[in-house]
Amino acid sequence: MRTQLKDVITYELPIGDAFVDMNGLIGKKLTWTYLHQINCVHCGKQTKTSFSQGYCYTCFKSLPETDTSIMNPELDESYLGISRDMEWSKEHALKPHYVYLAYSSNLKVGVTRESQIPTRWIDQGAVRAIKLAKTPNRHIAGVIEVALKEHFADKTNWRAMLKDEGEISVDLKMEKQKAAGLLHPELQQYLSPEDDIWELNYPVAQYPEKITSLSFDKLDLYEGELKGIKGQYLMFEDGKVINIRKHNGYFVELKVE
């Protein structure tokens, strides 16, 4: 879903050539019908199985955006001139990156390209975030992240993220100081002087008490009243949730009652 940071984050779902205003559908009953077709989001080829959120197997094994360094930025070697596609790396890996601390289901450390702030935080369902370090490329950001993994989580618990945790008491500025002190002096040169706390508010009318994940790999039809959106998840009245990003390239029909 395409997002935009406002007082309450806005979501638009691409279906065909149109973008559906999902915020406006909260409180309405939606019917989703899976049309039994998946096309690769890169080459367009029809595929039986989607890999890495939308790619056919050939693209998954060959594209730079599905390389192992996407999940493990410390493994990025484009700064050495090694890449599946150096032109792509020049625009994505060899650009300024931020290491950040964010609170979603818990306090976590993460890495994102400068141009992906705050999109990355929104996609993870973070409610607060702070910039920790700014690096000239993805590799160095990954090295900093690895150095902090022993002290901070680096994954989001999506089930916990989708529950209402009430007031969040974590002090991000204090946690940033703690993280900075854990870094080797060689890495401290990249620390960001920006201490602004980013607050992110999601369009949620009701959080689920018990969560059940839905997948179009296992069902053809689903009807339910949309109660909220957080991260890339749609939340429904019965506790059912759908990860929209997981279904990139799937052909579905959406009807609004």
Side-chain angles (χ1 to χ4, degrees):
M1 289 181 286
R2 187 167 67 177
T3 62
Q4 187 174 356
L5 179 64
K6 294 184 178 181
D7 289 342
V8 175
I9 294 161
T10 61
Y11 285 86
E12 292 180 313
L13 176 65
I15 296 184
D17 296 325
F19 283 87
V20 179
D21 172 19
M22 295 305 295
N23 292 53
L25 299 185
I26 293 176
K28 297 184 179 181
K29 180 173 285 188
L30 309 183
T31 300
W32 304 82
T33 305
Y34 175 43
L35 303 179
H36 294 279
Q37 181 176 335
I38 307 171
N39 284 49
C40 176
V41 295
H42 179 77
C43 72
K45 182 176 70 176
Q46 192 164 331
T47 176
K48 291 184 178 180
T49 304
S50 172
F51 296 88
S52 190
Q53 300 178 341
Y55 298 91
C56 67
Y57 186 73
T58 300
C59 288
F60 168 67
K61 295 296 290 183
S62 61
L63 292 177
E65 51 262 53
T66 57
D67 187 73
T68 54
S69 62
I70 298 301
M71 295 299 295
N72 299 282
E74 73 278 6
L75 300 180
D76 183 86
E77 297 181 311
S78 58
Y79 72 104
L80 298 173
I82 303 171
S83 172
R84 288 181 174 181
D85 183 335
M86 274 306 301
E87 290 305 311
W88 185 92
S89 290
K90 288 177 183 177
E91 293 300 317
H92 295 83
L94 299 177
K95 293 284 187 177
H97 277 64
Y98 276 102
V99 183
Y100 61 84
L101 297 177
Y103 191 94
S104 49
S105 60
N106 53 356
L107 182 63
K108 71 178 292 290
V109 60
V111 168
T112 191
R113 195 165 68 251
E114 181 177 25
S115 61
Q116 288 299 103
I117 288 178
T119 302
R120 177 62 172 164
W121 299 334
I122 295 172
D123 286 350
Q124 292 181 336
V127 294
R128 289 182 186 171
I130 190 172
K131 297 174 181 176
L132 172 63
K134 184 177 182 180
T135 66
N137 59 51
R138 185 170 179 79
H139 171 74
I140 298 175
V143 171
I144 293 175
E145 182 186 40
V146 168
L148 295 174
K149 279 184 180 181
E150 292 183 11
H151 309 279
F152 298 90
D154 66 324
K155 297 289 188 297
T156 298
N157 181 326
W158 66 269
R159 288 184 179 274
M161 182 269 289
L162 293 177
K163 293 184 177 180
D164 184 7
E165 299 189 36
E167 183 65 25
I168 306 300
S169 60
V170 62
D171 186 334
L172 286 183
K173 291 185 179 180
M174 182 181 72
E175 295 294 341
K176 177 178 177 177
Q177 292 177 354
K178 172 185 172 182
L182 294 170
L183 293 177
H184 187 280
E186 187 176 345
L187 296 176
Q188 289 180 345
Q189 64 177 304
Y190 300 107
L191 290 172
S192 171
E194 298 180 57
D195 281 339
D196 294 338
I197 305 295
W198 294 63
E199 302 275 355
L200 302 106
N201 300 302
Y202 297 87
V204 179
Q206 178 183 322
Y207 283 94
E209 293 184 5
K210 185 177 181 181
I211 295 172
T212 302
S213 178
L214 299 177
S215 171
F216 292 124
D217 294 325
K218 298 180 179 180
L219 83 164
D220 298 330
L221 180 72
Y222 173 72
E223 293 182 336
E225 182 180 327
L226 183 64
K227 286 297 186 180
I229 313 171
K230 191 176 182 183
Q232 285 286 325
Y233 284 85
L234 303 180
M235 299 180 281
F236 295 91
E237 59 184 333
D238 54 3
K240 302 290 198 306
V241 302
I242 297 176
N243 181 345
I244 290 296
R245 173 153 290 174
K246 176 182 181 294
H247 294 95
N248 282 342
Y250 284 64
F251 279 59
V252 297
E253 181 182 70
L254 170 62
K255 291 183 179 179
V256 181
E257 184 175 299

